[in-house]
Structures are given as C-alpha cells and as structure tokens.
Amino acid sequence: VPFLPECNFWEMRLDVRTGKGLGAPKRISKWTGFCESGMSETSDGKRLAFLKSDEKLRSFLADLSDGGKHISNFRRFPFTENSGAVSSWTPDSTSVFWISDHTGQFGIYKQRLDESIDQPVLKEGYSRNLCLMPGGESLIFFGPAKAGPWPVRGPEPVMEISTDGGTAKELFVARPYSMLACPRRGSCVIAEPSDDGSQVDVAAIDLEKGRGERLFQFGADPNDDTWWLAISPSGKRMAFLRTDKGPIHVVTMKGEAFQEIEVRGWSTLESVTWAPDEEGLYMSAARRNERDIVHVDLSGNVELVWANPGGYAETQAHPSPDGRHIFLDGWVREANVEVAEDF
C-alpha cells in the first residue's frame, strides 16, 4: 500500500497539578518522509533525542529451483534508495513492471532484467494494484480514490494504460478496497466487497464496457478485510481467502468449488499468487514476528521460500511466467537515533 509517512513534533503547556492542557498545541517541526518515536529531552530542554524511522518498500530478485520451492542468487532489484516493488512480468519473462516513488509520488515503470535504466509508463495518477492484462499490451490499476489518496476509504477508479505509456483511461469506478487480478490468458477480474463487507462480488473486466459479467460471490467477515483473490495463469481457476486464517478456497471461474486447502502451521495468510505451473501457490504468512513467503502445493504441503525477519505489512511473491525467477516484495523499517537542537 503506497503512501508516504508524515509525522511531526507538537508541544503543549500542561498544568502540573491537574495535567490539563493550557492553550492549543503548537507544531514545532515541519518534516516529511519519516516518523519519530521514543523521545527523550535533556534536563535543560535544549536538545531532544528521538528514533527516526522510515518505511521502505523493497524488491528482491532470486532464481527458482526444485519446482519453484527454493531460491538462490538472491539480490536487490531494482536497486534504489526509494520505495519500489515489482508488480508484473512481461510474458517473455525478460522485463518487469514496477512501482516507485523516486519522483516524490508513486508511478509505473518498465525495466529489463539485464538493464539498469527504467522506462516511465505513468509518472503520476497511480494508487495501487498494478496488473498486466492478457496479451501484454496494457496495464490496469486503481487510480487515486475519489475521496482522496490512499489510505482514505472511498470509491476508486479502475484505470487502463498502454505498456508503452501515454494517457491512462478510466474504465469504471469500483467500490472501496476492491482487488484486481489478471491471468496470462482469458479475462481479468475485479473482486468488490459489499457496502457492509459481508460478501465479495467477482466480475469479469471488459475494456469496452468496464465492469463485465458477474462470475460469482463469496461470503466475507464484515469485521475482517484481509480477504484475498488470485486468478491462475491459464484463467481457468481462482483461489481466494475469506480471512487471513484460511483455508484457501480453489474454485472454477464460475465459483464452483474445486478444492479447499488447509495451510498447516502458519497464520496471517495473505497475498496469494499462483505458481506458473498451477501446481501450487505462493503466500505471505506470519511466523515468529516475521512476514515470510511460503510455497503451498494443492495438497497443503508447505515449503518456506523466503524468511523475511522484521518484515511487516503487505509482502508478495511474483514468479516469472517461465518459472525460472521470482520477485519478493516487502515493507521494511529503517531507523536511526537523531538529536534535534533549538526546537
């Protein structure tokens, strides 16, 4: 979920006897791009020590082996000090589409694996959930919500743009917190939660008509918005989670039950992605304060792919169509002790 943190110090005089505030709070710093915590002031009130933390979205490239269950040659890519993460592969597995905030706001870029220079596709107007459409000629994504930028909750426009760049076109406006998913063949879909969050409607996407035929719906927990949906590369099956507790439900494109998979020994499941051979799925799962990536076969057998100590928030896996490589994305928190004077 791309957004830039902004935290600042404020001060307010207090009545030492009652603890009540005296007057209005006053802002004493004007910073952006990081947050502060753990404040400690010197006795003379001239210096303030604090923990300065910055959240970054990082992307790593690795080679796959053993049927997509193990990785090697793990490295940062693209290498940038800004937040950035890969979202989709080109059909020939030579290039990727990724998001980055190196201009100050998140945009869409294309880059070959054997090059260090990226090609801008969209420099502004991107919000989240980038997907490559079948055929590899255009991308769809959510633009900024009508009520304001993420994470403000509100209707979100579904946008389409050529992979060569240009002007993005609005296809239709989706309900808040919807999800897009695209296969290599077939049709993309959108999953939209109802207003009360009790069910999720899944419909095809039509580039001419916008929201297309409704395929099926599944029940959800109104108090839990961690549901997730992924479509298989062939466009013949979908997998979804009702909550992050599981199980994984595998269904046909019409919602007919095909299989139910229990992920034993793991919790906080999310970000389901199909393996290229459709014999398993990659998922983010929590373990010992980590947010790791695991491979789950259709029988429920689990293999740890990437141990990500300190990882938090949304973590995803993006295997290449040829099954030889995988991108692993996750949020990391970097922190340093800072001292402010004359504040």
Side-chain angles (χ1 to χ4, degrees):
V1 179
F3 66 94
L4 296 176
E6 181 175 332
C7 304
N8 278 284
F9 287 127
W10 293 68
E11 68 176 359
M12 183 173 66
R13 295 180 62 230
L14 299 175
D15 186 316
V16 295
R17 293 172 301 174
T18 65
K20 294 183 178 180
L22 300 174
K26 177 185 176 183
R27 181 172 174 171
I28 59 174
S29 67
K30 295 181 180 180
W31 297 325
T32 186
F34 60 87
C35 280
E36 310 87 46
S37 61
M39 297 175 290
S40 179
E41 185 181 5
T42 57
S43 58
D44 60 9
K46 294 182 178 181
R47 290 187 294 173
L48 181 69
F50 60 93
L51 190 66
K52 173 184 173 182
S53 61
D54 188 10
E55 299 173 350
K56 298 287 188 183
L57 183 57
R58 294 284 187 242
S59 191
F60 303 89
L61 174 63
D63 300 336
L64 281 173
S65 60
D66 191 22
K69 299 175 184 177
H70 294 100
I71 60 174
S72 60
N73 194 20
F74 184 81
R75 65 272 195 195
R76 280 274 303 277
F77 186 94
F79 193 85
T80 174
E81 292 305 313
N82 301 91
S83 282
V86 167
S87 293
S88 297
W89 288 83
T90 56
D92 61 5
S93 299
T94 63
S95 304
V96 290
F97 295 95
W98 64 294
I99 61 169
S100 174
D101 69 345
H102 62 247
T103 64
Q105 56 183 312
F106 277 89
I108 304 170
Y109 300 84
K110 180 180 180 180
Q111 187 167 339
R112 288 183 56 88
L113 297 188
D114 57 1
E115 294 181 354
S116 59
I117 304 299
D118 57 35
Q119 170 191 336
V121 176
L122 180 75
K123 291 187 175 181
E124 58 182 37
Y126 173 80
S127 178
R128 63 182 184 93
N129 203 177
L130 179 66
C131 298
L132 179 68
M133 299 199 74
E137 295 182 354
S138 61
L139 297 152
I140 56 173
F141 59 93
F142 288 112
K146 298 295 186 180
W150 183 272
V152 174
R153 188 180 183 91
E156 298 173 280
V158 177
M159 310 295 293
E160 183 260 341
I161 191 171
S162 166
T163 54
D164 293 326
T167 302
K169 177 179 69 173
E170 182 178 306
L171 299 178
F172 60 96
V173 177
R175 294 200 288 267
Y177 284 29
S178 295
M179 180 174 290
L180 303 170
C182 289
R184 291 205 298 270
R185 297 180 295 277
S187 299
C188 297
V189 301
I190 182 168
E192 297 179 279
S194 59
D195 291 339
D196 64 0
S198 64
Q199 67 182 31
V200 177
D201 294 324
V202 182
I205 293 177
D206 188 313
L207 285 181
E208 299 300 324
K209 300 178 182 178
R211 188 186 290 104
E213 172 193 8
R214 192 177 81 172
L215 303 173
F216 69 99
Q217 63 181 210
F218 61 88
D221 183 344
N223 301 312
D224 186 343
D225 61 2
T226 58
W227 61 268
W228 199 279
L229 179 138
I231 187 170
S232 66
S234 66
K236 295 181 179 179
R237 287 181 289 176
M238 280 185 271
F240 66 86
L241 292 167
R242 297 182 192 274
T243 74
D244 62 7
K245 299 177 180 62
I248 308 169
H249 301 272
V250 180
V251 299
T252 68
M253 293 298 290
K254 291 293 185 180
E256 298 160 341
F258 181 80
Q259 197 167 1
E260 189 173 288
I261 306 170
E262 293 285 350
V263 185
R264 296 178 289 274
W266 295 82
S267 62
T268 316
L269 307 173
E270 63 179 21
S271 65
V272 182
T273 306
W274 283 87
D277 61 7
E278 300 191 15
E279 294 299 319
L281 304 117
Y282 294 100
M283 304 185 68
S284 167
R287 182 186 66 161
R288 296 195 302 269
N289 297 318
E290 297 182 354
R291 191 62 60 88
D292 303 328
I293 294 293
V294 299
H295 178 280
V296 184
D297 68 21
L298 299 185
S299 298
N301 299 307
V302 184
E303 291 278 351
L304 176 64
V305 175
W306 180 39
N308 183 26
Y312 74 101
E314 192 172 290
T315 303
Q316 298 189 61
H318 303 281
S320 60
D322 62 11
R324 297 176 57 191
H325 308 287
I326 190 169
F327 271 101
L328 303 161
D329 302 333
W331 286 90
V332 297
R333 183 177 287 113
E334 301 171 349
N336 289 291
V337 175
E338 299 281 343
V339 176
E341 297 182 345
D342 301 323
F343 57 91

